Amino acid sequence: MERPAWAPRSIDISVPSVSRIYDYYLGGSHNFEVDREAARKAMDFIPGLPKTMQANRAFLRRAVGFAAQEGITQFLDIGSGIPTYGNVHEVAQSAAPGAHVVYVDHDPVAVAHSQAVLAGNDAAAVAAADLRNPRDILESPEVRRLIDLNRPVALLLVAILHFVEDADDPCGAVAELRDALAPGSMLILSHASYEGIPVSAERAEGAVDVYRDIRNPLIMRSRDEIARFFEGYDMVEPGLVPLPLWRPESAPEDEDPFAFAGYAGVGRTA
């Protein structure tokens, strides 16, 4: 397999990547056949996965716009993935010119592409770090340069926590990040769940097995389990709801049924 110029030498392009699979679902071009094969296997069980991912990105854009309207000008996007249309910095800096954005990902491809996209944008940067090590994120040069932790920050954990197993203490990581942020900060979060998927849980489990086989377990949590991540935050209306129902800009009844296969919410610290 020939290595394209955009693929860092440090990555094994024969192994599927969650970031590149997500890029494929969204119609992107930064993925390989090994990623597309894994995506198609998952779609054999949940055919509407691209619709779910599109609904997730639409929620992200609405939530970032809301945070900017509420006066937040600092955004920390952890598990940001490969840049695609409607990135956080595009939405945030359009709504609040000069807003500071730091992307964080541990995937070298996502980091390399983010660096290319952000070239010349002094108000945005990308850090190579992992959600499971919050201290590394908070002490990264990029966060230190662009994020003032004494002022409110919008913390984005969008479609990332379902890749963190309970053994890695995701609630502890989220709490550590929350405690580092100033009052008035926001948590913008989305998470996959069996609840709302228009196929049986047994069939959906087949897609989960695909991710397990590529050593990126997909942890499907219930609404109550997802709500635990908002401990210490006051929920913003309409609360923790299926993706299309969070402050929709179009009629939710017109959405594809697979768009409802996940929960989203925004919380704010006092």
Side-chain angles (χ1 to χ4, degrees):
M1 181 189 307
E2 185 176 350
R3 182 183 297 271
W6 54 262
R9 288 281 166 190
S10 58
I11 68 166
D12 183 350
I13 61 176
S14 68
V15 176
S17 153
V18 166
S19 294
R20 298 195 307 264
I21 291 171
Y22 188 65
D23 177 70
Y24 172 71
Y25 289 142
L26 291 174
S29 59
H30 296 104
N31 50 77
F32 301 111
E33 180 55 32
V34 66
D35 307 305
R36 296 188 285 272
E37 181 181 0
R40 288 191 292 265
K41 284 181 179 177
M43 289 167 62
D44 284 343
F45 298 99
I46 307 179
L49 278 170
K51 294 294 184 182
T52 305
M53 306 310 169
Q54 290 163 18
N56 184 71
R57 291 296 297 187
F59 158 71
L60 179 149
R61 291 190 288 270
R62 295 195 304 275
V64 168
F66 168 77
Q69 290 168 8
E70 291 291 298
I72 290 184
T73 59
Q74 302 186 107
F75 297 81
L76 180 58
D77 183 4
I78 302 176
S80 50
I82 294 172
T84 186
Y85 171 74
N87 290 308
V88 172
H89 73 278
E90 294 172 336
V91 177
Q93 292 175 352
S94 174
H100 286 191
V101 178
V102 175
Y103 295 104
V104 179
D105 209 290
H106 70 276
D107 185 326
V109 172
V111 172
H113 276 291
S114 297
Q115 289 171 335
V117 168
L118 299 174
N121 188 333
D122 293 336
V126 57
D130 194 312
L131 171 60
R132 291 168 291 191
N133 297 296
R135 187 53 47 190
D136 290 348
I137 296 171
L138 296 169
E139 295 180 353
S140 69
E142 295 81 10
V143 168
R144 286 181 174 274
R145 178 172 69 88
L146 289 175
I147 303 295
D148 179 359
L149 295 176
N150 294 311
R151 295 173 46 238
V153 175
L155 170 64
L156 284 82
L157 299 175
V158 176
I160 180 63
L161 284 163
H162 48 234
F163 291 114
V164 183
E165 298 180 85
D166 290 341
D168 289 320
D169 191 17
C171 283
V174 174
E176 185 172 347
L177 290 165
R178 177 201 66 214
D179 291 346
L181 303 181
S185 293
M186 289 186 181
L187 171 61
I188 296 173
L189 182 151
S190 65
H191 196 296
S193 177
Y194 285 125
E195 300 169 16
I197 299 180
V199 298
S200 69
E202 291 76 17
R203 184 167 181 81
E205 183 67 23
V208 172
D209 287 340
V210 172
Y211 282 90
R212 188 177 295 120
D213 289 345
I214 65 172
R215 299 175 186 251
N216 280 283
L218 180 59
I219 314 301
M220 305 289 267
R221 295 186 172 97
S222 68
R223 184 187 181 281
D224 288 345
E225 289 171 324
I226 297 166
R228 290 182 57 206
F229 293 120
F230 285 97
E231 183 177 343
Y233 290 90
D234 295 325
M235 295 301 295
V236 170
E237 289 293 332
L240 184 61
V241 295
L243 293 161
L245 299 184
W246 197 90
R247 297 181 178 244
E249 296 173 346
S250 57
E253 56 268 25
D254 294 336
E255 293 281 355
D256 186 282
F258 283 96
F260 294 82
Y263 287 102
V266 174
R268 178 163 29 201
T269 57

